[in-house]
């Protein structure tokens, strides 16, 4: 029986593990399907994590976390959790992708969020062949070439700036004429000579052939279509929360979620089910920041420690 199972090894899960084990819990496992670090490891730069004065990549930021967070006995199991459910005896059952199961007295769900698809024609067919959601991973394929970016939030604008360092031109396509990103980022984008704004427009279609994308058709509000002959488009249109592990056989969720599927928690990161906590991007009103996810993980772990006294 685990004292605590943590699902997900991003900033929230790692920090939860640090605080739980340092708080005295002995049998704590963090299930992470990939390498620990979370989605920020895909980011080309982060400059708002307190205490880190330099602009660093997400990978650089997260590199020391696993060692520090595991120093007090947190165990990492590289496994995908398919479901968290409740047993008749009142414990939590953790089911893994291979069918293995574990029992836990407490669970903190920290499965974060993943990039949303925009829904234009060709998006799925060309995904990985010119359509990408990760500039750090795929930007270099377009060195000295033109690319398109779709979206008007922090991610789209920051990644457009990153791509402008590598590519000859970046067409930033946004469905409105104002952005929802941080004002300083908007200023940088507007003053970057390599970024061309395509405003009040959406992507209608991405076309290409067996070798990948050849172009993007963008349509403005009057129905005018422009044909951008680019080999790549980066889609940054928001995030979906990864709440799949909470789905039960009958389609219901183990705990209360809102209309967007975000887990409803109180200030202690407690869900509607005793012993079940949610931390980081998956929770309601998450500011979707590394510092907040880490803070949530600490708060949830301290609640579990208090429950176990
Ligand atoms: P995540 O980081 O999403 O981690 C969740 C983890 O759970 C993942 O590692 C995933 O593999 C794992 N997981 C999911 N499902 C399962 C499962 N079923 N079984 C096992 N493991 C599972 N924030 C900032 O503060 N500053 C920035 O500058 C910034 N820039 C960003 C740039 C980009 C491109 C992106 C995508 C995000 C950025 N963010 C930034 C947001 C920040 O990355 C997130 O808010 C933060 O990572 C959320 O942490 P989390 O631990 O809640 O979830
Ligand atoms: P976001 O803030 O939700 O922005 C999504 C953008 O995509 C919006 O501009 C939206 O347009 C547009 N969009 C949505 N659906 C679309 C569609 N189908 N077709 C075309 N455009 C579409 O998402 P995000 O930029 O990924 O940011 C997610 C969270 O992480 C935010 O809270 C953000 O602040 C945070 N984040 C922070 C940092 C940082 O602090 N430096 C960096 C990255 C992310 P509208 O504007 O018209 O709605």
């Amino acid at each position: 029986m685990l004292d605590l199972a943590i699902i997900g090894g991003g900033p929230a899960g790692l920090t939860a593990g640090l605080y739980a084990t340092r708080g005295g819990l002995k049998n704590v496992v963090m299930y992470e399907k990939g390498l620990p670090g979370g989605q920020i490891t895909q980011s080309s730069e982060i400059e708002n994590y307190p205490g880190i004065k330099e602009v660093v990549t997400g990978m650089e930021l997260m590199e020391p976390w696993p060692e520090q967070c595991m120093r007090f006995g947190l165990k990492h199991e590289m496994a995908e959790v398919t479901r968290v459910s409740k047993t008749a005896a009142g414990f939590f059952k953790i089911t893994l992708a291979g069918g293995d199961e574990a029992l836990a007295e407490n669970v903190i769900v920290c499965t974060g969020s993943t990039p949303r698809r925009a829904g234009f024609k060709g998006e799925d067919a060309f995904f990985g062949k010119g359509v990408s959601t990760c500039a750090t991973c795929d930007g270099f394929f377009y060195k000295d070439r033109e690319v398109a970016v779709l979206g008007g939030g922090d991610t789209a604008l920051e990644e457009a700036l990153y791509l402008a360092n590598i590519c000859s031109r970046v067409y930033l396509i946004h469905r409105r004429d104002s952005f929802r990103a941080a004002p300083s980022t908007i200023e940088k984008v507007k003053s970057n000579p390599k970024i061309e704004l395509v405003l009040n427009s959406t992507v209608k279609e991405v076309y290409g052939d067996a070798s990948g994308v050849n172009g993007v058709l963008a349509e403005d509000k009057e129905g005018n279509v422009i044909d951008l002959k680019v080999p790549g488009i980066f889609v940054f249109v928001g995030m979906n929360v990864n709440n799949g592990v909470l789905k039960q056989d009958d389609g219901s969720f183990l705990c209360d979620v809102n209309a967007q599927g975000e887990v409803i928690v109180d200030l202690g990161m407690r869900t509607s089910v005793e012993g079940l906590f949610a931390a980081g991007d998956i929770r309601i009103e998450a500011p979707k920041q590394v510092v907040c996810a880490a803070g949530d993980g600490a708060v949830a772990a301290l609640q579990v420690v208090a429950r176990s006294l």
Side-chain angles (χ1 to χ4, degrees):
M1 170 75 64
L2 301 176
D3 293 325
L4 170 62
I6 297 166
I7 323 294
L14 283 162
T15 310
L18 172 65
Y19 274 73
T21 50
R22 204 164 172 273
L25 296 186
K26 292 279 176 269
N27 206 1
V28 183
V29 172
M30 181 185 79
Y31 296 95
E32 166 55 59
K33 62 183 177 184
L35 290 174
Q39 60 178 282
I40 193 65
T41 57
Q42 297 199 354
S43 173
S44 51
E45 61 175 52
I46 169 160
E47 60 180 6
N48 59 5
Y49 194 82
I52 308 291
K53 285 191 293 179
E54 306 78 22
V55 178
V56 293
T57 66
M59 197 67 97
E60 286 166 341
L61 177 78
M62 296 311 293
E63 196 270 329
W65 288 43
E67 187 188 331
Q68 182 196 11
C69 294
M70 286 172 206
R71 196 178 292 161
F72 302 96
L74 171 67
K75 295 178 212 81
H76 167 216
E77 197 167 316
M78 196 188 260
E80 180 176 1
V81 173
T82 53
R83 182 169 300 167
V84 178
S85 50
K86 201 94 202 258
T87 67
F91 301 116
F92 293 98
K93 185 168 80 180
I94 315 300
T95 308
L96 305 184
D100 286 354
E101 293 175 352
L103 288 178
E105 287 194 48
N106 300 278
V107 174
I108 307 178
V109 180
C110 308
T111 43
S113 56
T114 44
R116 202 175 281 156
R117 299 277 169 104
F120 52 78
K121 191 173 169 201
E123 186 178 26
D124 290 340
F126 288 104
F127 202 84
K129 290 181 276 182
V131 177
S132 171
T133 54
C134 179
T136 322
C137 320
D138 300 331
F140 202 73
F141 295 132
Y142 307 103
K143 187 166 165 44
D144 299 327
R145 302 177 76 187
E146 298 192 340
V147 292
V149 166
L150 177 65
D154 280 306
T155 305
L157 270 65
E158 287 182 5
E159 299 311 297
L161 287 164
Y162 174 79
L163 289 165
N165 273 334
I166 302 171
C167 306
S168 56
R169 177 158 297 274
V170 177
Y171 297 99
L172 178 58
I173 305 166
H174 179 40
R175 63 188 179 186
R176 297 187 292 125
D177 61 2
S178 61
F179 298 105
R180 61 172 72 236
S184 61
T185 310
I186 297 173
E187 272 320 302
K188 282 188 210 163
V189 162
K190 286 187 170 167
S191 59
N192 190 309
K194 281 182 159 182
I195 300 179
E196 188 170 318
L197 302 182
V198 182
L199 299 178
N200 296 313
S201 300
T202 52
V203 173
K204 198 175 145 67
E205 182 180 343
V206 164
Y207 62 90
D209 54 30
S211 61
V213 167
N214 293 328
V216 170
L217 301 180
E219 184 177 32
D220 70 15
K221 285 180 173 161
E222 279 76 47
N224 305 306
V225 176
I226 56 165
D227 185 356
L228 301 168
K229 299 208 181 306
V230 293
I233 176 164
F234 290 82
V235 179
F236 302 114
V237 295
M239 312 291 285
N240 286 330
V241 290
N242 301 324
N243 57 19
V245 299
L246 293 167
K247 270 227 172 100
Q248 307 299 293
D249 268 341
D250 63 2
S252 67
F253 286 93
L254 179 59
C255 59
D256 292 345
V257 301
N258 69 9
Q260 289 74 45
E262 298 159 342
V263 179
I264 298 172
V265 291
D266 66 11
L267 286 177
M269 302 302 139
R270 298 177 202 89
T271 69
S272 56
V273 173
E274 212 184 328
L276 179 68
F277 300 78
D281 278 13
I282 191 171
R283 72 158 167 95
I284 48 160
E285 292 173 38
K288 299 210 168 59
Q289 294 288 289
V290 175
V291 67
C292 304
D296 282 4
V299 168
L302 291 172
Q303 295 298 329
V304 176
V305 170
R307 267 191 106 227
S308 309
L309 288 176

